[in-house]
Amino acid sequence: MSKKLTIHDIARELNLTSGTVSRALNDHPRISTKTKSLVKQKALELNYHRNKIASSLRSGKSHTIGVIIPSAEMNFFGSVVHGIEMIASNNGYSILLYQTEENTLLEKKAIETFLIARVDGILTSVAKETVDFSHYQELQKRHIPLVFFDRTNDEMKVPSVVVDDCKGAFMATEHLIKNGYKRIAHVLGPQNIKGFQDRFNGYRDALKKNNIATDDKLIYQGNISIEAGKAAVDYFFGLDEIPDAVFAVEDYTALGVIKGLKERKIKIPDEFGVIGFANENFGEHITPSLSSVDQQTVEMGKAAMGLLMDIIAKNEGNNEIVLREKIVLEPLFYFRESSKGKKPTEKSQHDKLLIAELS
Amino acid sequence: MSKKLTIHDIARELNLTSGTVSRALNDHPRISTKTKSLVKQKALELNYHRNKIASSLRSGKSHTIGVIIPSAEMNFFGSVVHGIEMIASNNGYSILLYQTEENTLLEKKAIETFLIARVDGILTSVAKETVDFSHYQELQKRHIPLVFFDRTNDEMKVPSVVVDDCKGAFMATEHLIKNGYKRIAHVLGPQNIKGFQDRFNGYRDALKKNNIATDDKLIYQGNISIEAGKAAVDYFFGLDEIPDAVFAVEDYTALGVIKGLKERKIKIPDEFGVIGFANENFGEHITPSLSSVDQQTVEMGKAAMGLLMDIIAKNEGNNEIVLREKIVLEPLFYFRESSKGKKPTEKSQHDKLLIAELS
DNA sequence: GTGAAAGCGCTAACAC
DNA sequence: GTGTTAGCGCTTTCAC
């Protein structure tokens, strides 16, 4: 191993002191341009790399951000991390990644690890299991900048970035209405998750706005899984009045619905409309392709990291920055085959003709 | 901000010196159990978190690993990172994540960043674009432990973890043969990528072993994309002798093949068999579901991180460890609808009966 | 089993 | 515009 190179080595070679070298490398304003270029030149020549550890210890800033996600294996979070890392690295920050596997204990360990690593801020998507938020409160007590994304907690006053689930659900439901479906059901997600509540709200809002009575029988308590979607179909087809469309809380649920309908030889979208949520990448490739609501994952990551950068800048005294408490991203609706509209029955065909004649 | 807590504070409260406190916290063998528990107790009480930055500076080890991937948005890499992080965190290491977007310049920046952060090792999947490996050679010169995963370079002597592409391709191709397909085509991936060459080799090996003559006309130079798959179908159906099955270099290519075949109303798998590679998550949900070769992504991450841990341990003097130069993971074949076998034509039916009579 | 003291490599306050 | 100097908070060698 070539002996470790420090600013002292550069200083010696140039007959300067380490202080000057440090300032030159950091573009300190009071250092002459000549010295700066001399120092930088020499650093390059010797293949010097500054020691971030020493500099962090002295300056008190690690230029590192901790990111907590349930699992990198989940598409959604991989995509968010993609956005986060882009912005981080554009701003000279590195990101430390930690997975919780939806486990509160690992979440606490993540925070512990980040506290020890002296990260300058933390981005987190709360584990499903978490009900005790003391570890996050600890961060607030220590004034460590914190931003929630996707999975938030409204009781804690923490800035957050989410997609407008309510609006997305509203768009999806109204789309089904406009495409002629009459009895629109909903497969619920677990209601302890705020986003899933919102999707339910959006669904109801759309019905209300279009003067369609809500019917509790059309609400099935499901989950994010293919099985839940299939089970929902079994339930719906046991009703006296069978629905003719479903807005499912998530794409996997919607996929289950489609599979269930196919088993019953129900034609999609001619007899039955289906819409999901999340815009998982299988949606556009299945038959029929699945209409869905995109959650703007990469944008979410960018926005979360941007917000964190703002908080850090403000803490450092940049008072021009106006912080936003909550960034709500617009969902994007992807209109595909599964909700294309009902084939007009003879009766409705007849109605249409009538209407045409009357007008 | 509560004033920063250091080992000196703990030392003062217990009438000890900071040296003893440090040793106690690190379970130094020569410290009495009583002192240890006293110190740990106090640390907990004061809510002390050791400063990793200071400890890294002093000890020269950061307990941090740099991970370079093309993009966290790609399923494959998210999944590998999942495996990497699991093992890292089990071993008390943190991971710094950097994305290259397949760009050599960003790859060099990643290495620069990691050098500055004084990571204890680096895991990397080389960007597609990269042909100049000087930045990696620099790491070797500095004796920084390095492991390649998936995207490797055989000219540089760097330990690596890959899946056996050749074997996977062999399995896939032989499966098509066993299922009665007679003219089996292949859609190539870019041949500058070693894994894609290997898949081609596996394809040829399987034909050879089964005494089937290879035919250059059945090889289409494609890519990893739906479009390439569709174009391949156009090409194959322009041949005098049309193939009856395709082994595609990747699932998206296979998806394109399926789409192309559907447009031509060719029945899969009855008239035409299709197999992909990668086991992307849409494969099991499309119609027909796509047979594919799984690349053991999570295992790959675990193996890569495990190998890196071994290298580090060996460097630290643990001589019992025998390092492996290359870990080759077994691919896993997923047999689904798209390759279920041809519907016997009248003629082949006749042949079968004949054979049955003869035996 | 514990104390004393040096120093990892850098930054920044204070000189001039 | 540059030098001097004092740490940041920890680990570790050398004492005893």
Side-chain angles (χ1 to χ4, degrees):
Chain A
M1 179 84 101
S2 50
K3 247 189 65 261
K4 285 172 201 163
L5 215 52
T6 73
I7 42 174
H8 296 102
D9 300 311
I10 298 179
R12 198 175 336 102
E13 296 235 359
L14 294 172
N15 272 321
L16 290 169
T17 58
S18 60
T20 307
V21 172
S22 170
R23 279 179 286 233
L25 289 172
N26 291 309
D27 272 324
H28 187 105
R30 287 211 308 242
I31 297 290
S32 70
T33 2
K34 200 174 124 220
T35 309
K36 278 184 192 170
S37 66
L38 225 57
V39 167
K40 286 178 180 174
Q41 170 67 38
K42 186 54 97 179
L44 216 64
E45 182 193 323
L46 298 178
N47 201 5
Y48 165 81
H49 292 272
R50 66 172 236 279
N51 187 328
K52 189 183 178 181
I53 294 171
S55 120
S56 295
L57 178 60
R58 182 61 236 251
S59 68
K61 0 199 74 293
S62 64
H63 279 266
T64 300
I65 300 297
V67 176
I68 302 176
I69 56 172
S71 166
E73 212 183 353
M74 293 166 72
N75 240 268
F76 179 89
F77 292 108
S79 200
V80 177
V81 167
H82 175 72
I84 290 173
E85 202 277 322
M86 284 173 75
I87 303 299
S89 110
N90 282 344
N91 285 276
Y93 280 79
S94 295
I95 69 161
L96 279 176
L97 191 69
Y98 206 105
Q99 300 177 111
T100 62
E101 316 287 353
E102 305 287 10
N103 178 328
T104 305
L105 221 69
L106 285 177
E107 194 172 79
K108 285 176 190 282
K109 269 189 88 173
I111 304 248
E112 171 89 6
T113 305
F114 290 162
L115 241 27
I116 288 173
R118 299 295 194 268
V119 297
D120 292 341
I122 293 180
L123 294 175
T124 179
S125 203
V126 181
K128 263 189 202 161
E129 190 186 292
T130 299
V131 285
D132 161 32
F133 284 77
S134 57
H135 44 305
Y136 287 118
Q137 282 154 359
E138 174 74 22
L139 291 176
Q140 293 185 299
K141 218 179 300 167
R142 290 170 180 263
H143 302 284
I144 294 172
L146 178 64
V147 172
F148 285 160
F149 61 90
D150 189 50
R151 313 262 194 85
T152 65
N153 177 283
D154 282 348
E155 280 136 55
M156 288 185 69
K157 266 205 64 179
V158 170
S160 60
V161 181
V162 291
V163 74
D164 192 336
D165 282 279
C166 186
K167 186 165 185 178
F170 185 93
M171 287 158 67
T173 310
E174 188 155 66
H175 167 83
L176 287 170
I177 298 168
K178 297 261 186 272
N179 274 3
Y181 298 102
K182 299 295 180 199
R183 273 181 75 71
I184 298 167
H186 179 48
V187 184
L188 283 176
Q191 292 296 293
N192 60 325
I193 309 251
K194 175 131 193 327
F196 298 160
Q197 287 173 22
D198 287 344
R199 292 181 200 174
F200 185 27
N201 290 334
Y203 159 80
R204 280 189 298 203
D205 291 353
L207 294 185
K208 202 171 297 169
K209 190 195 149 203
N210 288 276
N211 300 314
I212 299 174
T214 52
D215 180 348
D216 286 350
K217 290 204 200 70
L218 294 181
I219 308 302
Y220 179 79
Q221 175 61 57
N223 205 330
I224 300 180
S225 69
I226 295 176
E227 293 67 39
K230 283 187 175 177
V233 171
D234 289 341
Y235 165 77
F236 291 136
F237 279 78
L239 293 176
D240 289 339
E241 292 184 278
I242 298 171
D244 64 357
V246 161
F247 163 53
V249 67
E250 213 266 350
D251 279 356
Y252 279 97
T253 315
L255 179 62
V257 169
I258 289 179
K259 293 198 173 195
L261 291 170
K262 280 188 174 176
E263 279 170 16
R264 290 171 183 271
K265 310 270 182 222
I266 308 291
K267 292 208 181 93
I268 315 169
D270 298 349
E271 303 173 45
F272 206 105
V274 181
I275 289 188
F277 207 108
N279 200 23
E280 297 274 355
N281 76 351
F282 64 79
E284 63 178 304
H285 304 308
I286 61 174
T287 312
S289 58
L290 177 64
S291 295
S292 191
V293 181
D294 189 278
Q295 298 178 92
Q296 303 282 62
T297 46
V298 178
E299 286 310 311
M300 187 179 289
K302 288 185 180 176
M305 190 66 202
L307 186 49
L308 191 62
M309 295 283 91
D310 281 352
I311 296 172
I312 290 173
K314 182 134 196 169
N315 284 352
E316 283 173 355
N318 187 336
N319 287 315
E320 285 164 29
I321 290 172
V322 182
L323 292 182
R324 284 184 289 174
E325 271 311 300
K326 187 159 195 146
I327 296 179
V328 180
L329 299 172
E330 289 289 303
L332 224 62
F333 185 67
Y334 279 80
F335 174 33
R336 302 203 182 94
E337 297 280 341
S338 67
S339 60
K340 266 233 161 92
K342 289 181 90 161
K343 267 259 173 63
T345 57
E346 265 101 74
K347 188 179 173 307
S348 67
Q349 193 78 304
H350 182 243
D351 288 352
K352 259 197 198 149
L353 289 173
L354 261 181
I355 292 164
E357 273 170 32
L358 288 170
S359 58
Chain B
M1 179 85 99
S2 50
K3 248 191 63 255
K4 285 172 202 163
L5 213 52
T6 72
I7 43 173
H8 297 102
D9 299 311
I10 297 179
R12 198 176 335 102
E13 295 235 359
L14 295 172
N15 272 321
L16 291 169
T17 58
S18 60
T20 307
V21 172
S22 170
R23 279 178 285 231
L25 289 172
N26 291 310
D27 273 323
H28 188 104
R30 285 211 309 243
I31 297 290
S32 71
T33 1
K34 203 176 121 216
T35 309
K36 278 184 191 170
S37 66
L38 225 57
V39 168
K40 286 178 181 173
Q41 171 66 38
K42 187 55 96 180
L44 217 63
E45 182 192 324
L46 298 178
N47 201 4
Y48 166 81
H49 292 272
R50 66 171 237 279
N51 186 328
K52 187 183 179 180
I53 294 171
S55 114
S56 296
L57 177 59
R58 182 60 236 251
S59 69
K61 2 199 72 291
S62 65
H63 279 267
T64 300
I65 300 297
V67 176
I68 303 177
I69 56 172
S71 166
E73 212 184 353
M74 294 166 73
N75 239 269
F76 179 88
F77 292 108
S79 200
V80 177
V81 167
H82 174 71
I84 291 173
E85 202 276 323
M86 284 173 75
I87 303 299
S89 103
N90 281 343
N91 285 276
Y93 280 79
S94 296
I95 69 163
L96 280 175
L97 192 69
Y98 207 105
Q99 300 177 112
T100 62
E101 316 287 352
E102 305 286 8
N103 178 327
T104 305
L105 221 69
L106 285 177
E107 194 171 80
K108 286 177 190 282
K109 268 189 87 174
I111 302 242
E112 172 89 6
T113 305
F114 290 161
L115 242 26
I116 288 172
R118 299 297 194 264
V119 296
D120 291 340
I122 294 180
L123 293 175
T124 179
S125 205
V126 181
K128 264 189 202 160
E129 189 186 294
T130 299
V131 284
D132 161 33
F133 284 78
S134 56
H135 44 305
Y136 287 119
Q137 282 154 359
E138 174 73 22
L139 291 176
Q140 293 185 300
K141 218 181 298 168
R142 289 170 180 265
H143 302 285
I144 293 173
L146 178 65
V147 171
F148 285 160
F149 60 90
D150 189 50
R151 313 263 193 86
T152 65
N153 178 284
D154 283 347
E155 280 137 54
M156 288 185 67
K157 265 205 65 177
V158 171
S160 60
V161 180
V162 293
V163 73
D164 191 336
D165 282 278
C166 186
K167 185 164 186 178
F170 185 93
M171 286 157 67
T173 309
E174 188 154 65
H175 167 84
L176 288 170
I177 298 170
K178 298 263 185 269
N179 274 2
Y181 297 102
K182 300 294 181 199
R183 272 181 75 72
I184 299 167
H186 178 49
V187 184
L188 284 176
Q191 291 296 294
N192 60 326
I193 309 253
K194 176 131 194 323
F196 297 161
Q197 287 174 21
D198 287 343
R199 293 181 200 174
F200 185 29
N201 290 334
Y203 159 82
R204 280 189 298 203
D205 291 352
L207 294 185
K208 201 170 298 168
K209 189 195 149 203
N210 288 275
N211 300 313
I212 299 174
T214 52
D215 181 349
D216 285 350
K217 291 206 200 67
L218 295 181
I219 309 302
Y220 180 79
Q221 175 61 55
N223 206 330
I224 299 180
S225 70
I226 296 175
E227 293 67 39
K230 283 188 176 177
V233 171
D234 289 342
Y235 166 77
F236 291 137
F237 278 79
L239 294 176
D240 290 339
E241 291 183 277
I242 298 171
D244 62 358
V246 160
F247 162 52
V249 68
E250 214 265 348
D251 278 355
Y252 278 97
T253 315
L255 179 62
V257 169
I258 289 178
K259 293 198 173 194
L261 291 171
K262 279 186 175 178
E263 279 171 16
R264 289 172 184 270
K265 310 270 182 222
I266 308 292
K267 293 209 181 87
I268 315 169
D270 299 350
E271 302 173 45
F272 207 105
V274 181
I275 290 189
F277 207 108
N279 200 24
E280 297 273 357
N281 75 351
F282 64 81
E284 61 176 307
H285 304 308
I286 61 174
T287 311
S289 59
L290 177 64
S291 295
S292 190
V293 180
D294 189 278
Q295 297 177 93
Q296 303 283 62
T297 47
V298 178
E299 286 311 312
M300 187 180 289
K302 288 185 180 178
M305 190 65 202
L307 186 49
L308 190 61
M309 294 284 91
D310 282 353
I311 296 172
I312 290 173
K314 181 136 198 168
N315 284 352
E316 283 172 354
N318 187 336
N319 287 314
E320 285 163 29
I321 290 172
V322 182
L323 292 181
R324 283 185 290 174
E325 269 312 299
K326 187 159 195 147
I327 296 179
V328 181
L329 299 171
E330 288 290 302
L332 223 61
F333 185 66
Y334 279 79
F335 173 32
R336 302 202 183 93
E337 296 280 341
S338 66
S339 60
K340 266 232 162 90
K342 290 181 90 160
K343 267 258 174 65
T345 59
E346 265 101 76
K347 186 177 173 306
S348 66
Q349 194 78 303
H350 181 243
D351 289 352
K352 258 196 199 153
L353 290 173
L354 260 181
I355 292 164
E357 274 169 31
L358 287 170
S359 57

